[in-house]
Amino acid sequence: MFRKKVLVTNDDGIDAEGLCVLVRMLREVCDVYVLAPETNRSAVSHLFSLSGPLRLKKTGEKSFSCSGSPADCVIVATVSDLFGVKFDAVVSGINRGANLGTDIIYSGTAAAARQAVLYKIPGIAVSLESSDGNFNFSPLAAFVARNLDKLISLSSDKLFVSLNAYSSDNYDEAVFTSLSERNYNDSVRILDAPDGFKYAFICGGELVSDGEDFDTARSGKISVSLVRASPTAEKIIVPQEFSFVDG
């Protein structure tokens, strides 16, 4: 029987519980290959390396860590002969914490799925939130494994799939959602240091969310969002005249 070949990565790092649980569940239904950052690379967005080598370390059967970002991991695994296979999908996660709405801009988890789609490989990003600090990754990982073929079919050469849920012992519904708006209410503290420099500290404020994916996940369901991998530009309906320097 044909078994799909799936690359698993994340931004929490090679030893993260969410990745380990996801790999274990996926191995029951497909051939799993792992290339994930050697340390936590959360919120690096679509960072990738343009200079210097990336350090790879074998961590198990068909498994390596990488000194680079999540996007680096996808590029190395899919373009090089490290594994010597053609992947049927890239699954990124399970992230410890939500990647809802505006989070996707900053998320390394989402960036890995996006990079896959840019390479014409189905990409799936999976994230789990917790209301009490306890994370039960197994039910969401089981959902991904059980519905892997369907999730792959939802991705395309333009869209990656973003799954979000709140930690639960079980799920009984998944809902297609649009993306929410997230206001982080950030503040910045600037301090003068004895070394003569000023240091700026970005401090997160009270997070305010409004939109379908957030409401769906908070209600105990799995949020399924189809996200464009490539940026789009709005067409200008009213003609504009620009000024230029003469000569």
Side-chain angles (χ1 to χ4, degrees):
M1 186 177 70
F2 172 77
R3 285 170 64 88
K4 287 184 168 60
K5 294 176 172 56
V6 174
L7 172 68
V8 176
T9 189
N10 70 352
D11 71 2
D12 286 339
I14 188 73
D15 295 321
E17 181 184 1
L19 181 140
C20 296
V21 173
L22 180 62
V23 167
R24 186 175 71 247
M25 294 286 188
L26 284 176
R27 280 180 174 157
E28 297 180 5
V29 298
C30 64
D31 292 337
V32 176
Y33 301 76
V34 179
L35 183 58
E38 62 186 16
T39 59
N40 191 312
R41 301 303 300 273
S42 295
V44 298
S45 189
H46 212 105
L47 172 73
F48 64 95
S49 301
L50 292 175
S51 61
L54 295 169
R55 181 176 57 251
L56 307 177
K57 179 182 178 181
K58 189 172 179 61
T59 58
E61 182 182 1
K62 296 184 289 189
S63 177
F64 289 83
S65 65
C66 174
S67 61
S69 68
D72 284 330
C73 292
V74 174
I75 294 170
V76 171
T78 57
V79 176
S80 77
D81 60 356
L82 178 66
F83 294 115
V85 301
K86 181 178 180 180
F87 292 106
D88 298 294
V90 172
V91 182
S92 181
I94 298 173
N95 189 65
R96 186 182 182 90
N99 281 306
L100 297 160
T102 320
D103 297 341
I104 288 175
I105 298 172
Y106 312 106
S107 167
T109 302
R114 183 186 301 113
Q115 184 64 51
V117 170
L118 294 177
Y119 281 164
K120 310 303 182 185
I121 302 170
I124 303 161
V126 191
S127 304
L128 188 70
E129 185 58 276
S130 173
S131 57
D132 61 5
N134 295 311
F135 288 82
N136 182 5
F137 293 99
S138 294
L140 187 56
F143 172 84
V144 174
R146 181 172 298 178
N147 295 279
L148 181 62
D149 289 346
K150 183 170 292 185
L151 293 171
I152 290 174
S153 72
L154 291 173
S155 183
S156 69
D157 61 355
K158 294 182 180 179
L159 302 172
F160 69 88
V161 181
S162 179
L163 302 180
N164 279 276
Y166 269 68
S167 184
S168 174
D169 292 335
N170 62 78
Y171 303 100
D172 57 16
E173 188 174 359
V175 179
F176 286 101
T177 61
S178 61
L179 299 181
S180 59
E181 292 186 7
R182 306 266 274 177
N183 185 341
Y184 306 96
N185 287 302
D186 294 326
S187 61
V188 176
R189 295 177 60 207
I190 297 180
L191 300 179
D192 293 310
D195 60 7
F197 290 96
K198 291 181 180 291
Y199 287 85
F201 297 84
I202 299 176
C203 308
E206 182 179 357
L207 177 61
V208 178
S209 299
D210 181 25
E212 284 187 4
D213 59 354
F214 170 73
D215 291 337
T216 296
R218 186 176 57 175
S219 72
K221 305 170 186 176
I222 297 173
S223 165
V224 184
S225 301
L226 304 183
V227 185
R228 286 191 176 274
S230 298
T232 59
E234 295 292 330
K235 291 184 177 180
I236 300 297
I237 298 176
V238 180
Q240 302 292 314
E241 293 186 3
F242 296 98
S243 298
F244 298 91
V245 176
D246 292 336

